[in-house]
Amino acid sequence: MVPLRLRACHRLLRLRSSLPLPITITITMAAPQPQPGCKTISSPSTAGPPPKRFRTMATDAAPPPASAMKAKFARHTDYLNALNDKRERLVKASRDVTMNSKKVIFQVHRISRNNKEEVLSKAENDLAAVVNQHIGKLVKELQGTDFWKLRRAYTFGVQEYIEAATFCRFCKTGTLLSLDEINDSLLALSDKSVEPLQINVLDYILGVADLSGELMRLAIGRISDGEVEYAKDICSSVRDIYRELTLLVPLMDDNNEMKKKMEVMLQSVVKIENACFGVHVRGSEYIPMLGSSAEPDYAFFGGADYD
């Protein structure tokens, strides 16, 4: 059965063909009404997408204020830059301390039976210059700050200074310079209004461990100069230092640097003991003043002089 709408269209077409004049007929078809229970499919719109709106930047507007987080990061940046600059200054000052402390040690090694007072006096003056000129720079940089935070920047210079100071004291009095005495000597360089620089126990122990090597060289030199008893005293002192540190090192928290120095210290003790033992056993073959025209004296070996 032909729908009623199509019938109406056919009738209109036949009517148009029978008319003599051209007549324009507009046919309007109503959109079908959606029936209940049926889905309506919408046809795509023929109109294009809406035109894009371009964003514009206002150049005359004032910049927004800095945020609180940005200001905090700026403060952290300034702090880290200042810390790095201080670390570089400490490294340079530590190198100066190391170099001048080694000069003091070389000066002490020139000691002999004839010039002991003169050599030690010059060494003490050089050591005082190291404290005033170079240790003073470390004190000014580190006073009132966290010493442990920058310890790696200056520890080697402090260890060398402790080695020179204890070596000079041992050659003068035969005793070991204590940590309290070293820290008391640095108080005059510090400002009383801030916390003064205090050398920590670890750096002191590491410096004392290095002292054994210098005492070993001194003992060998004293044996060659005929001061065997002095060399025996040095051997006894180095042995005591090694024994005390042997009890202390196991209590330290994984300090590999100290363990290596303990191995070197043991080698120094063995060298001094072998030298003293060799002189004691083979004293008759020993010549105290090699190249001297004076007759050798073997009385200090405990034996009678030979004709």
Side-chain angles (χ1 to χ4, degrees):
M1 187 174 182
V2 182
L4 295 177
R5 294 177 180 174
L6 292 179
R7 287 183 181 180
C9 290
H10 289 301
R11 290 178 181 176
L12 289 173
L13 290 175
R14 286 196 298 267
L15 180 61
R16 180 182 177 184
S17 59
S18 60
L19 293 175
L21 297 176
I23 300 175
T24 303
I25 301 175
T26 304
I27 302 174
T28 304
M29 299 179 62
Q33 297 294 329
Q35 299 180 1
C38 297
K39 294 182 179 180
T40 305
I41 301 176
S42 59
S43 58
S45 175
T46 57
K52 295 182 179 179
R53 298 177 60 184
F54 296 98
R55 297 180 179 179
T56 58
M57 181 181 299
T59 56
D60 298 336
S67 62
M69 183 174 294
K70 186 176 180 180
K72 184 176 294 186
F73 273 100
R75 290 194 297 269
H76 292 330
T77 301
D78 296 338
Y79 170 76
L80 292 176
N81 290 336
L83 186 65
N84 291 331
D85 294 340
K86 177 178 288 190
R87 182 181 290 109
E88 292 297 328
R89 293 193 297 269
L90 290 175
V91 170
K92 293 179 181 179
S94 178
R95 290 174 182 173
D96 295 336
V97 172
T98 302
M99 180 180 61
N100 290 276
S101 298
K102 287 183 180 295
K103 291 181 180 180
V104 174
I105 294 174
F106 296 155
Q107 175 67 27
V108 176
H109 275 299
R110 298 187 179 97
I111 193 173
S112 65
R113 288 183 294 184
N114 301 325
N115 63 352
K116 181 177 180 180
E117 297 296 333
E118 179 183 357
V119 170
L120 290 180
S121 177
K122 188 176 186 306
E124 289 178 347
N125 294 333
D126 295 341
L127 189 64
V130 172
V131 174
N132 296 327
Q133 297 178 9
H134 305 291
I135 297 293
K137 294 181 180 178
L138 293 178
V139 172
K140 292 179 181 179
E141 291 290 345
L142 292 172
Q143 60 184 1
T145 60
D146 189 359
F147 306 141
W148 287 97
K149 187 178 300 181
L150 299 172
R151 176 182 170 272
R152 298 299 298 177
Y154 66 90
T155 176
F156 299 107
V158 170
Q159 293 177 27
E160 197 69 28
Y161 165 72
I162 292 173
E163 181 181 357
T166 52
F167 187 40
C168 188
R169 169 65 69 86
F170 183 88
C171 293
K172 184 177 181 179
T173 63
T175 58
L176 187 64
L177 186 65
S178 65
L179 177 60
D180 294 335
E181 292 176 330
I182 295 177
N183 285 329
D184 291 341
S185 64
L186 300 179
L187 292 177
L189 303 174
S190 304
D191 188 0
K192 297 181 180 179
S193 61
V194 295
E195 183 181 0
L197 171 64
Q198 295 290 288
I199 297 176
N200 56 74
V201 179
L202 180 59
D203 289 337
Y204 175 76
I205 294 176
L206 292 173
V208 171
D210 292 333
L211 175 65
S212 62
E214 304 302 333
L215 292 178
M216 181 269 296
R217 298 181 184 91
L218 180 65
I220 301 300
R222 296 305 88 222
I223 290 175
S224 64
D225 201 16
E227 300 182 57
V228 181
E229 294 299 328
Y230 190 24
K232 290 182 180 179
D233 293 339
I234 294 175
C235 180
S236 177
S237 300
V238 175
R239 191 187 295 119
D240 292 341
I241 294 174
Y242 177 76
R243 181 178 63 250
E244 297 297 330
L245 291 181
T246 303
L247 301 176
L248 180 62
V249 170
L251 303 178
M252 302 175 67
D253 297 334
D254 296 334
N255 196 325
N256 296 327
E257 187 178 2
M258 188 63 197
K259 293 179 181 178
K260 295 178 181 178
K261 292 192 175 186
M262 290 298 296
E263 296 176 359
V264 177
M265 185 184 296
L266 178 60
Q267 296 175 3
S268 300
V269 173
V270 172
K271 288 179 181 179
I272 301 174
E273 290 177 344
N274 291 338
C276 294
F277 179 76
V279 170
H280 182 76
V281 173
R282 305 177 63 181
S284 60
E285 303 176 5
Y286 179 74
I287 302 177
M289 297 296 290
L290 184 61
S292 175
S293 59
E295 293 295 332
D297 183 12
Y298 299 97
F300 55 82
F301 292 114
D305 294 343
Y306 288 86
D307 295 334

